[in-house]
Amino acid sequence: MPTQANKLLPYTIIGDGIPVSLTGSPGDAARGRALVLARTTTCILCHSGPFPETRFQGDLAPDLTGTGNRWSVSQLRLRLVDASRFNPDTIMPSYYRNDGLVRVGRNFAGKPILSAAEIEDIVAFLATLRD
Amino acid sequence: MISWRAIAAATLLAAAAPVLLAGEIPPDARRSGYAFMGADTRAMQDDDTSNPGMLFVLDGEALWAKKIGSADKACADCHGDAQSSMKGVAARYPAFDKALGRPVTLDQRIILCRANHQQATPLPYESRDLLALSAFIAHQSRGTPITAGDDPQAKPFVEQGRVLYMQRAGQLNLACTNCHDDNFDKRLAGAPITQAQPTGYPLYRLEWQTLGSLERRLRSCMSGVRAQAYDYGSPELVALELYLMSRAHGLPMETPAVRP
């Protein structure tokens, strides 16, 4: 297994969030919006939101409208990285994790669901979702 | 100290009302995938002249009567008229095979029968002829309540299937139960999540544009959570299939069902 390429960047949890960007630089909200709507990131499978252009939205998880009012950037980052810290029974995957999983498919083994840069883009976009 | 009488009483109670684990759907709330479909897809299943699965059933009927293999025998030579001999059989599958000491699926039973009694070349999983025979045989159980898993010898394998059903897997780290017990009736990317009651297999899936087995469906769900899918015919898939059938206890068979 190629370990070097899949190594996760270190991050520090403080309180209920990760205050510092995983990549060290801010994400791009426009790219983040496109990522949230791409089915491969899986967000839109469970969440809905202010996305009039697609009807393929899920309702297993809260609507993303107003997310930027409800959570700080630091909280959003930790929720994407590892939502199970808030609720061990959550169905929301830990998007920045590559171990402790069962029977991961060959194409995905050792890799997080999202890269650090993708998480930063999505966090930047979610922070703009204000009522 | 617990007396043997108390244990016996508890066992009797358990037999009368199967103990449900957290999250499991009570018997009177179990619903076929049919109940989650739109009117058009229901109508397609209900009308045999528009149900594309019936073409496979007709192919299977022809195969049932066809002599094959070095034994030059047809299914019908041993089993006679399937309308009577196969009635209700599929509702009991996967069924425990005493010689093998493990449960086998209906597809595996057909494969074993071809090898042992017809001495014919094996049919690959998901091949058209295997699906056609399986659809024809299971069609003889249409309307029969599912009883698979009732055999006491099958119980350890039902339990194995239940453990797999409850186990999170794949990069997305989800278990079958997370969607199909806890979130049915909700929508995943706009499509309704069902209870995963396997009442109509093999079934015609519009997404596949063909008939497919329950194992194919399970494997595609596993790929969906980005897990390494179990191989066709593997003990794990058979156990999952058995658990799902036992979980659908009492629901009527619908083969060939139509699903979106």
Side-chain angles (χ1 to χ4, degrees), chain B residues 133-183:
Chain B
L133 275 168
S134 164
F136 172 65
I137 293 166
H139 183 60
Q140 310 310 318
S141 296
R142 185 148 79 169
T144 304
I146 292 170
T147 54
D150 281 4
D151 178 355
Q153 290 178 289
K155 293 296 179 197
F157 300 92
V158 174
E159 187 49 35
Q160 181 196 358
R162 182 187 348 226
V163 168
L164 292 170
Y165 182 88
M166 301 292 172
Q167 181 187 59
R168 287 181 184 247
Q171 192 195 37
L172 302 188
N173 200 27
L174 291 168
C176 313
T177 186
N178 292 139
C179 280
H180 298 290
D181 287 330
D182 299 343
N183 283 296

Side-chain angles (χ1 to χ4, degrees), chain B residues 2 32 34 72-73 82 85 89 101 116 119 138 147 149 151 162 165-167 175 177 195 220 247-248 254-255 257 259:
Chain B
I2 302 167
S32 157
Y34 181 89
D72 197 33
K73 271 201 256 181
S85 69
V89 169
N116 298 339
Q119 284 138 40
T147 54
D151 178 355
R162 182 187 348 226
Y165 182 88
M166 301 292 172
Q167 181 187 59
T177 186
Q195 292 182 351
S220 90
R247 185 171 162 276
E254 295 168 43
T255 311
R259 294 289 182 268

Side-chain angles (χ1 to χ4, degrees), chain A residues 39-42 44-46 55-60 88-91 93 97 101-106 108 111-113, chain B residues 167-174 178-179 182-183 185-191 193 222-223 226-231 236:
Chain A
R39 292 172 71 130
T40 48
T41 60
T42 74
I44 203 72
L45 303 185
C46 292
R55 57 196 182 90
F56 298 111
Q57 307 186 24
D59 65 1
L60 283 93
D89 296 327
T90 185
I91 57 170
R97 167 181 178 180
L101 300 167
V102 175
R103 265 195 97 77
V104 176
R106 277 185 208 103
F108 304 100
K111 299 174 190 164
I113 303 171
Chain B
Q167 181 187 59
R168 287 181 184 247
Q171 192 195 37
L172 302 188
N173 200 27
L174 291 168
N178 292 139
C179 280
D182 299 343
N183 283 296
D185 275 334
K186 293 201 176 146
R187 286 175 177 267
L188 185 72
I193 296 174
M222 292 189 76
S223 303
R226 303 182 182 176
Q228 191 61 46
Y230 298 117
D231 292 333
E236 291 92 345

